[in-house]
Each structure stands twice: as C-alpha cells, then as structure tokens.
Amino acid sequence: MKRRTFIHTGSLFLASTGLANLLPLNAFSMGQGKADKIRIGVIGINGMGWSNLTALLKDPRAQCVALCDVDQNVLDRRVAELAKNNITVSTSNDYQKILENKHVDAVVIGTPDHWHCKIMVDALAAGKDVYVEKPAGNSIAECNEMVAAQQRYNKVVQVGQWQRSQKHFADAIAYVHSGKLGNVRLVKAWAYQGWMKAIPVASDTAVPTGVDYNKWLGPATMRPFNPNRFHFNFRWFWDYAGGLMTDWGVHMIDYALMGMKATTPKSIVATGGKFAYPDDASETPDTLTAIYEFNGFNLQWEQATGIDGGPYGRTHGVAFIGNNGTLVLNRQGWEVIPEKDGGKDKIEAVPLQKSVDNGLQLHTQNFLDVIQSRKLEDLKAPIQAGAHVANICQMGNIAYRTGKKIYWDASKGKFTDSTANKYLAAQYHNGYKMPKV
C-alpha cells in the first residue's frame, strides 16, 4: 500500500429527509428558536458511536440524517438497522462531507481515540455542536487544543462520560463532600476486567473489502493492515489509544477527582506490564498500578485484565477511604463502610444505594437539552472536564512508559523531565498537523 497524504479524500454526500432539511445550519444557536428536530450526523458508527445514536434516537427531538464510517460493511449494516425503523440516512466515508452539510446540526464522534481531536476541532469550525466519545483526546496536547477550540467557537461539546448524568454517582459525591467520611487520605480507583482475554498474534493481511484503511489510520503511523489493530482492539495499541488507563480510567478516575475536588497531581509513578498475557498481540499493559500524589492525599489506580476480583469484591469502582469510613462507588451503586472505634461504628453505615437510571440515556438527553438552551454551564461532561481527566490518565501512562517518577509543573503545563515531555503530544505521521486554534 502506498503512503498517502493525510485527510485529502472525499466522496459524494447528499443530505436527507423531510422538513428538517428546511432548517438553516444550527438554528438553535442563531437565535431562531427551538426547532422540532436536532439533526444528527454520526462519525464512527461501529461501537460507541452506534450506542450513542441509539440513545439519542429514544428522544423525539433527535433525528439521524447522516452516517460516516471508513468501513462500508459497518455503514451498510447500520443503514439496514435504521431502515427497520423507517429511518433513511445519507452515508459517506469522509467525515468532512458530514461537516460541510448544512442540514447537520450536531455530530457524534465515535471514532478511535487518535481521531477525536482533529474531527472535533474541524466540527466546531464548521459550526456543529459535538458529542465526542471518551477519552477526549489521545494526548495532553490534544486535550488542550480541544478545550481551546471549544472556547474559541463557543459550541456545545459533551464528552461521553455518561456516569456524570447518573443520580447515584451524584449522590455519592455529595456524601463525600459532606465531610462525614472524615479526613480522606487515600482514594482508590480500579478496573479489573475478567472478560478481557489474550489477543492471539495474527499476521498482517490485505485490507478487507470495503475498508478505507488510509482514512482509518489518519495521523497514525503507516503500518500494514492487521486485524488485531482494527475496530475494538485498537484500544491496546499506543498508535491509537492508551489501553485500560484511558478506556476505563477516565470513568473511574473522573469520580475520584470530583470527590476530592482535585486539579493536577504533583507527582506520578506507575509500574506494571504485560503480566497476564506476555506473548499476546497487545502493546499496552494488562496489569498496572499508578500512584498520583496530590496535596493531602494519594490517588491509586489499578487495572488488570483476565481478573474479576477487584477491591471490595467489585470489578470496577472508586473508594474514598477516610478516617471515619470508606465510601465505595461503581456503576451498580454506592455504600458506606464505617470504621470501628472500641467496637462501635464511627459513622452510620449506608447500605448499597443502587443505580436507578440509564446513564447514557440521560447523558444524551442532557446534550440535546443544552443544544436547545445554549446554557453550556448545564452540560454534565463539558470538554473541560473530559480533557482534565483524560490528561490525568495520560500522565499515568507517561509515568509507566518512562519508567520514572515524574513531576508535573502546573505553572508551565509540562513535566520537569524531558523524557516525559516527549509524550505530551502523540507522535503522528502522514503529514498530520495538530489543529491550532
């Protein structure tokens, strides 16, 4: 396969469907009142892009008008699924065609991580509101550019950290903030994923029929096509993502930071490796412990694939460990386990408070609400919050990759170590220039 210049491709794209097409671009933000439908284009429709669209379409305000994916097989399958519900959409394998279309009000970005920044910045410049999957960016530099772009264009940007829209998560954080736990000196966050098995080594192959592999690679290093790096498993390769740390860490560490009202750590150290499956195809560690030093407390992250026996008997979660008790929180609910003093509980135990709602449904609803109201302060996961936790997770990965205890200089926005600073921006290729806003 010949090396090709990045992002200069195109294909025919036509807008679709009914009365919604009569609306001008982003009527919501042009002072023309609320429209009957918010017209959605989805870029990257195989995994979470499809889940996000499915949630959006449960709200009568949302109308899907366009899909984009570099895999025609995925596009055909999703078009057929929408057709079962009498939804007709236009399709393209070039995201720029979605952004050029004046009948698309907002886009969902469900691509691999290495595409998030470029597409989001381009979408904002084109006047679109954006729902971007987590992690926000694939590097600290990208996350910073994404925040700057939102500030420049003043559009709605919701990051797909949908737990922020759930009642039980908010209730748990309110309890932490109440002070009842006493002095919280240690916070643990973890993801133990027993269902994640080894990825067998596979040979490079020809690009599958219908896949525009150059578009899929985008800024990433040019490599022969390998099925292990494609679709879901892109998460385990440094070219495109950051492994479990950025896949699950952004969810769990997000709540650790919220509970402690924390900004950036003073130092980070991380150790781990491919201990579960040392000979499989993945690059990112399957086992990792990272310790972040903040003022007055430490945050400890743990991850392990192939194991379900996480702390407190939970496969994932956050634990706020205080002098009076420990609050344990995950997607199923939260509880408080008291400390003992002379055989008596220091505080009242709180039995498991179960999840009572659908986080993704509420999160996409919040996105639509803010598109209509233009009250950006009402977003549950604005790009500023998504970038913050993504940057913290990137710091953990950088500490692991350097093999050092590294120190963050908040005044300069970089590490004190030159080796660590080499990881501030992803090493992209193919003529890619990170967006400047």
Side-chain angles (χ1 to χ4, degrees), residues 46-69:
N46 188 50
M48 280 306 300
W50 179 250
S51 297
N52 295 330
L53 177 60
T54 301
L56 282 163
L57 290 178
K58 291 179 181 178
D59 191 307
R61 295 172 293 177
Q63 177 187 16
C64 181
V65 299
L67 301 182
C68 174
D69 203 282

Side-chain angles (χ1 to χ4, degrees), residues 77-200:
R77 183 169 73 251
R78 297 313 189 196
V79 167
E81 292 178 65
L82 290 175
K84 294 176 183 177
N85 292 308
N86 298 315
I87 299 172
T88 303
V89 296
S90 295
T91 64
S92 175
N93 72 348
D94 182 357
Y95 80 90
Q96 293 284 4
K97 299 301 179 182
I98 302 287
L99 304 186
E100 291 168 5
N101 187 273
K102 294 183 178 181
H103 306 296
V104 173
D105 302 305
V107 297
V108 174
I109 301 172
T111 64
D113 304 357
H114 68 291
W115 265 110
H116 288 181
C117 179
K118 172 64 174 170
I119 296 178
M120 194 207 87
V121 173
D122 286 350
L124 297 183
K128 314 301 184 185
D129 294 315
V130 175
Y131 185 107
V132 59
E133 254 311 310
K134 58 79 192 169
N138 196 34
S139 70
I140 291 173
E142 286 182 23
C143 288
N144 294 343
E145 289 297 328
M146 294 167 84
V147 170
Q150 189 282 323
Q151 292 172 338
R152 174 177 181 178
Y153 296 108
N154 199 34
K155 307 299 292 184
V156 178
V157 180
Q158 178 93 302
V159 182
Q161 290 165 220
W162 49 263
Q163 291 162 170
R164 282 175 163 254
S165 290
Q166 289 194 280
K167 180 180 184 301
H168 80 275
F169 275 95
D171 290 345
I173 296 305
Y175 187 99
V176 174
H177 290 170
S178 75
K180 294 179 182 178
L181 295 175
N183 183 26
V184 177
R185 293 170 286 149
L186 176 63
V187 181
K188 292 185 177 182
W190 66 93
Y192 281 49
Q193 301 296 299
W195 63 273
M196 292 183 179
K197 307 302 181 183
I199 303 173

Side-chain angles (χ1 to χ4, degrees), residues 189-192 238 242-246 253 268-276 284-292 300-305 393-401:
W190 66 93
Y192 281 49
W238 295 119
L244 265 180
M245 173 63 89
T246 53
I253 292 175
I268 313 99
V269 63
T271 184
K274 292 182 58 178
F275 301 156
T284 60
D286 54 44
T287 308
L288 183 69
T289 301
I291 299 175
Y292 299 84
Q300 178 176 306
W301 165 256
E302 297 178 12
Q303 67 184 52
T305 61
C393 291
Q394 294 291 348
M395 290 178 186
N397 274 341
I398 291 169
Y400 166 74
R401 298 180 78 178

Side-chain angles (χ1 to χ4, degrees), residues 211-413:
V211 173
D212 190 324
Y213 183 53
N214 279 1
K215 282 198 181 78
W216 188 91
L217 280 174
T221 302
M222 179 61 70
R223 300 181 187 276
F225 181 86
N226 190 290
N228 279 330
R229 291 173 169 262
F230 196 53
H231 287 325
F232 181 85
N233 284 332
F234 76 85
R235 291 163 170 80
W236 321 129
F237 296 90
W238 295 119
D239 283 352
Y240 326 114
L244 265 180
M245 173 63 89
T246 53
D247 191 51
W248 270 86
V250 290
H251 284 307
M252 298 298 105
I253 292 175
D254 187 31
Y255 268 85
L257 298 172
M258 290 176 65
M260 300 305 291
K261 300 179 181 180
T263 53
T264 52
K266 296 189 294 183
S267 70
I268 313 99
V269 63
T271 184
K274 292 182 58 178
F275 301 156
Y277 312 119
D279 299 320
D280 86 341
S282 63
E283 292 178 347
T284 60
D286 54 44
T287 308
L288 183 69
T289 301
I291 299 175
Y292 299 84
E293 177 194 8
F294 291 87
N295 288 325
F297 77 98
N298 281 351
L299 166 60
Q300 178 176 306
W301 165 256
E302 297 178 12
Q303 67 184 52
T305 61
I307 301 173
D308 277 331
Y312 304 94
R314 291 163 169 83
T315 60
H316 68 280
V318 184
F320 298 91
I321 304 170
N323 287 345
N324 297 334
T326 297
L327 185 148
V328 184
L329 165 68
N330 72 357
R331 289 179 174 177
Q332 280 67 57
W334 65 279
E335 65 176 310
V336 174
I337 306 167
E339 286 288 318
K340 302 287 186 180
D341 185 5
K344 294 182 179 180
D345 291 346
K346 285 189 174 183
I347 54 175
E348 183 178 354
V350 178
L352 183 65
Q353 306 296 298
K354 294 183 179 180
S355 173
V356 296
D357 49 30
N358 184 312
L360 183 57
Q361 185 65 51
L362 290 172
H363 206 54
T364 53
Q365 178 181 313
N366 174 245
F367 177 55
L368 298 175
D369 288 344
V370 177
I371 287 177
Q372 289 188 323
S373 73
R374 311 313 297 178
K375 295 180 179 179
L376 303 185
E377 66 274 14
D378 291 342
L379 281 171
K380 297 295 185 182
I383 186 59
Q384 289 79 3
H388 178 218
V389 67
N391 281 345
I392 301 298
C393 291
Q394 294 291 348
M395 290 178 186
N397 274 341
I398 291 169
Y400 166 74
R401 298 180 78 178
T402 61
K404 300 179 180 181
K405 184 175 183 178
I406 55 178
Y407 297 84
W408 181 253
D409 187 336
S411 66
K412 296 181 178 179

Side-chain angles (χ1 to χ4, degrees), residues 1-6 214 217-223 428-432:
M1 181 186 299
K2 295 183 178 179
R3 193 175 178 110
R4 292 170 60 182
T5 304
F6 178 51
N214 279 1
L217 280 174
T221 302
M222 179 61 70
R223 300 181 187 276
Y428 288 157
H429 302 268
N430 306 345
Y432 177 85

